[in-house]
Amino acid sequence: MAKQKKGQAADQGGLLEQLRVPSGPVDLSKYDTRATPGFSGTKDEGKVALASLGDELSDWQERLFAEGRKGAERSILLVLQGMDTAGKGGVIRHGAGLMDPQGLKITSFKAPTAAEKRRGFLWRIKQALPDPGIIGIFDRSHYEDVLIARVRSLVAPPVWNRRYGQINDFEAELAASGVTVLKCFLHISAEEQKARLEARLDDPTKHWKYNPGDVDERAHWPAYMEAYEAALERCNTPEAPWLVIPSDRKWYRNWAVTAILLETLKTLNPEWPKADFDVETEKQRLAAT
Amino acid sequence: MAKQKKGQAADQGGLLEQLRVPSGPVDLSKYDTRATPGFSGTKDEGKVALASLGDELSDWQERLFAEGRKGAERSILLVLQGMDTAGKGGVIRHGAGLMDPQGLKITSFKAPTAAEKRRGFLWRIKQALPDPGIIGIFDRSHYEDVLIARVRSLVAPPVWNRRYGQINDFEAELAASGVTVLKCFLHISAEEQKARLEARLDDPTKHWKYNPGDVDERAHWPAYMEAYEAALERCNTPEAPWLVIPSDRKWYRNWAVTAILLETLKTLNPEWPKADFDVETEKQRLAAT
């Protein structure tokens, strides 16, 4: 048996299983936000490992895209959730950025408008679902409706309480219609968030990302963790599993989510579509032009 | 004065001006589709030159995105047109793929549906315009409505004839509302298209991209060139110029369009938004958490 090489995934094939949240109650304080499960190596090695996924990832992405163009109905939906500064944007930039943008559909959800609210919390989510062959990525999602909505009492408890079941029904429908749903909680510590917000304040090119409201939200950190624990327990289904990605180390976070996407594509195993024309006939017709 | 280094742009700052179609009648047969204006160097050097644009391009893209988040209204719209296999998808994959996908909005236009046709040819185009701060890319566009629509008589001559003026009015409106419009015709020879279609037929992983109709369209090559010449003459305005990108060499095509995007971003010169909060106050508030 080969000795594990430094800087490589311990068992990349099983990373999804390794990071998947076990069923039952969730205690986020038991997770080490600085851990690097499935990867032994340094930060630099992690960055190299991420870049090295690019070619394979693009190839599988194109296969999924190709089968979607030829009538297959499968797609992937990657849901990214996490506290401010956890790195949802960073994962998209550095991980999804390795893929062909033509096969991606990225949606960033802000606070819903009045018109969106009137249509129910899942309406705008459904508008943003990926078409067949496309990898959809949600930067925040319908989970905000059981996170900030619960913590900041934007709706009454019976309303948010009912949403967990509505989400499970919705995600089961998605799975049944060919969407592979992956939900990643980018888990950072309160201390790490503080350091990242300080870094934003220290860098004028980052000021646009800073919002004074972020500091106010920090006072509700324990309530947010409780809300995340509830979502990770109550909406952790076989069709749409939750994963916890330790995210204090940005390089690990980027590598892990990207490796999970690659693993998922390989499991779907899309094949190059067969020709729906006669190749020899076409060669002759083309030669005659 | 420094001697020009091999493999570098002759004068990258002026590439847009160099590739821009002069006003007046256009004769596409006068353009060398294998030329590499503005670049002296080999294919390998061209690929390195393209990759080397990535960091700078991402940086400017983020500045444009940032100002868009803070109320500025500017955006870019890159229109890609060309015969089948000219490489619209390749430019997006290799050029736009260097940027953060969060700041891109890519739309690929197929034959319009009946519902789209009823709304007028510009309706679906308007639905796909980039929001402020976003770089929109059209893979085909409203120009199909004066190209295939004209060549294949999908509408009567007075209808397509009227569209040139409608397009100019529309693009002038776009420019006035803060959209920088760039239109690139990826110009390949009929022989190069034949070679590329042959390559698709020879490679089973490319069969999904092949459509027997592509061979039929080849019979109309001269009519398409005439239709392109009309579009490049009649819709070549100061607000929304046409560029001809010699595209028989894929590496040059990818580099040229990407370099033009970078040049455009630099001309727009978006600045990092100033803080709309008091930095010192925020540092103190954050420290207290």
Side-chain angles (χ1 to χ4, degrees):
Chain A
M1 202 163 127
K3 207 180 148 203
Q4 190 196 334
K5 274 198 232 151
K6 229 188 153 205
Q8 281 202 336
D11 177 10
Q12 195 182 296
L15 189 63
L16 198 154
E17 211 43 51
Q18 200 176 342
L19 296 180
R20 194 168 162 173
V21 176
S23 63
V26 177
D27 180 353
L28 283 171
S29 70
K30 295 252 170 68
Y31 286 82
D32 177 3
T33 53
R34 292 188 65 77
T36 63
F39 194 89
S40 66
T42 63
K43 174 176 175 173
D44 284 348
E45 287 165 336
K47 288 185 175 185
V48 170
L50 172 61
S52 75
L53 300 178
D55 285 346
E56 210 182 347
L57 193 65
S58 292
D59 185 64
W60 284 105
Q61 182 203 16
E62 192 176 10
R63 287 174 188 240
L64 183 71
F65 185 82
E67 73 159 38
R69 280 292 183 87
K70 291 295 174 183
E73 300 206 328
R74 301 190 298 179
S75 64
I76 293 176
L77 176 62
L78 174 67
V79 173
L80 298 175
Q81 284 287 161
M83 299 296 285
D84 280 322
T85 77
K88 302 176 290 291
V91 164
I92 298 172
R93 183 178 189 124
H94 298 285
L98 295 171
M99 291 184 279
D100 187 337
Q102 293 169 99
L104 299 176
K105 180 178 173 120
I106 297 164
T107 311
S108 175
F109 291 98
K110 310 292 174 200
T113 63
E116 285 172 341
K117 279 189 210 166
R118 275 197 300 275
R119 290 165 166 84
F121 76 106
L122 289 172
W123 179 82
R124 63 176 187 158
I125 304 298
K126 292 175 182 172
Q127 306 302 307
L129 290 172
D131 284 330
I134 301 294
I135 298 175
I137 304 181
F138 284 177
D139 172 351
R140 303 191 186 272
S141 67
H142 44 299
Y143 283 96
E144 294 297 324
D145 298 291
V146 290
L147 291 165
I148 191 171
R150 170 177 165 153
V151 172
R152 306 304 299 253
S153 303
L154 304 182
V155 293
V159 176
W160 57 251
N161 205 31
R162 197 161 51 225
R163 286 179 176 166
Y164 298 98
Q166 293 170 325
I167 289 175
N168 287 339
D169 290 346
F170 166 60
E171 291 179 354
E173 272 173 39
L174 285 186
S177 69
V179 186
T180 298
V181 184
L182 287 170
K183 301 175 300 197
C184 292
F185 171 54
L186 309 182
H187 189 17
I188 56 170
S189 64
E191 296 70 39
E192 178 67 20
Q193 187 193 54
K194 190 173 186 174
R196 292 185 185 176
L197 288 174
E198 280 167 355
R200 284 188 183 175
L201 285 171
D202 284 338
D203 182 350
T205 75
K206 299 273 195 291
H207 283 167
W208 66 278
K209 292 187 179 186
Y210 182 89
N211 178 348
D214 299 345
V215 170
D216 305 321
E217 289 303 297
R218 278 178 61 75
H220 302 278
W221 192 276
Y224 272 108
M225 290 306 108
E226 200 181 300
Y228 266 110
E229 286 169 347
L232 268 61
E233 178 182 350
R234 297 177 67 178
C235 298
N236 192 20
T237 61
E239 303 90 15
W242 266 112
L243 287 74
V244 172
I245 315 291
S247 297
D248 277 3
R249 296 180 199 264
K250 295 177 183 177
W251 62 267
Y252 172 77
R253 170 200 75 200
N254 295 343
W255 171 82
V257 177
T258 310
I260 284 162
L261 254 184
L262 176 57
E263 186 181 325
T264 303
L265 280 162
K266 284 178 169 177
T267 304
L268 289 179
N269 193 25
E271 293 187 5
W272 294 112
K274 298 263 181 298
D276 48 10
F277 49 83
D278 184 69
V279 176
E280 288 312 313
T281 304
E282 290 305 314
K283 283 185 181 177
Q284 285 162 29
R285 289 181 65 228
L286 178 60
T289 65
Chain B
M1 201 161 127
K3 207 180 151 201
Q4 192 194 333
K5 274 199 232 150
K6 230 190 152 199
Q8 284 202 336
D11 178 10
Q12 196 183 295
L15 190 62
L16 197 155
E17 210 44 51
Q18 200 174 344
L19 297 178
R20 194 168 163 173
V21 176
S23 62
V26 177
D27 179 352
L28 283 171
S29 71
K30 295 252 169 71
Y31 285 82
D32 177 2
T33 53
R34 292 188 64 77
T36 63
F39 193 89
S40 66
T42 64
K43 176 177 176 173
D44 284 348
E45 288 166 335
K47 288 184 175 186
V48 170
L50 172 61
S52 75
L53 300 179
D55 285 346
E56 211 182 347
L57 194 63
S58 293
D59 184 64
W60 284 105
Q61 182 202 17
E62 192 176 9
R63 287 174 187 238
L64 184 70
F65 186 82
E67 72 158 40
R69 280 294 182 85
K70 291 294 176 185
E73 301 206 328
R74 301 190 298 180
S75 64
I76 293 175
L77 176 62
L78 174 66
V79 173
L80 298 175
Q81 284 288 159
M83 298 297 283
D84 282 322
T85 77
K88 301 175 290 292
V91 165
I92 298 173
R93 184 178 187 123
H94 299 286
L98 295 172
M99 290 184 279
D100 186 336
Q102 294 169 97
L104 299 176
K105 180 178 174 121
I106 298 164
T107 310
S108 175
F109 292 97
K110 311 291 173 200
T113 63
E116 286 172 341
K117 280 188 209 166
R118 274 197 301 276
R119 290 169 164 82
F121 77 105
L122 290 173
W123 179 83
R124 63 177 186 156
I125 304 297
K126 292 175 182 173
Q127 307 302 308
L129 291 172
D131 284 329
I134 300 295
I135 298 174
I137 304 181
F138 284 177
D139 173 350
R140 302 190 187 274
S141 66
H142 43 299
Y143 282 96
E144 293 297 323
D145 298 290
V146 290
L147 292 164
I148 191 170
R150 168 177 168 155
V151 172
R152 304 304 298 252
S153 302
L154 304 183
V155 294
V159 175
W160 57 251
N161 205 32
R162 199 162 48 223
R163 287 178 175 167
Y164 299 99
Q166 293 170 326
I167 288 174
N168 286 339
D169 290 346
F170 166 60
E171 292 179 353
E173 272 172 40
L174 285 187
S177 70
V179 187
T180 297
V181 183
L182 287 170
K183 302 175 299 197
C184 291
F185 171 55
L186 308 183
H187 188 17
I188 57 170
S189 66
E191 298 69 39
E192 177 67 19
Q193 187 193 55
K194 190 173 187 175
R196 292 185 185 177
L197 288 173
E198 282 167 354
R200 284 187 183 175
L201 285 169
D202 284 337
D203 181 351
T205 74
K206 299 273 195 291
H207 283 167
W208 67 278
K209 291 186 181 186
Y210 182 88
N211 178 349
D214 299 346
V215 171
D216 305 322
E217 290 302 299
R218 278 177 63 73
H220 302 279
W221 192 277
Y224 272 108
M225 289 307 107
E226 200 180 301
Y228 267 110
E229 287 169 348
L232 269 62
E233 178 183 350
R234 297 177 66 180
C235 299
N236 192 20
T237 60
E239 304 88 16
W242 265 112
L243 287 73
V244 172
I245 315 290
S247 296
D248 278 3
R249 299 179 198 264
K250 295 177 184 177
W251 63 266
Y252 173 77
R253 170 201 75 200
N254 295 341
W255 171 82
V257 178
T258 309
I260 284 162
L261 254 184
L262 176 56
E263 187 180 325
T264 303
L265 279 163
K266 283 178 170 177
T267 304
L268 289 179
N269 193 25
E271 292 188 6
W272 293 112
K274 297 266 180 299
D276 48 12
F277 49 84
D278 184 67
V279 177
E280 288 312 313
T281 303
E282 290 305 315
K283 284 186 180 175
Q284 285 163 28
R285 287 181 65 227
L286 179 59
T289 65

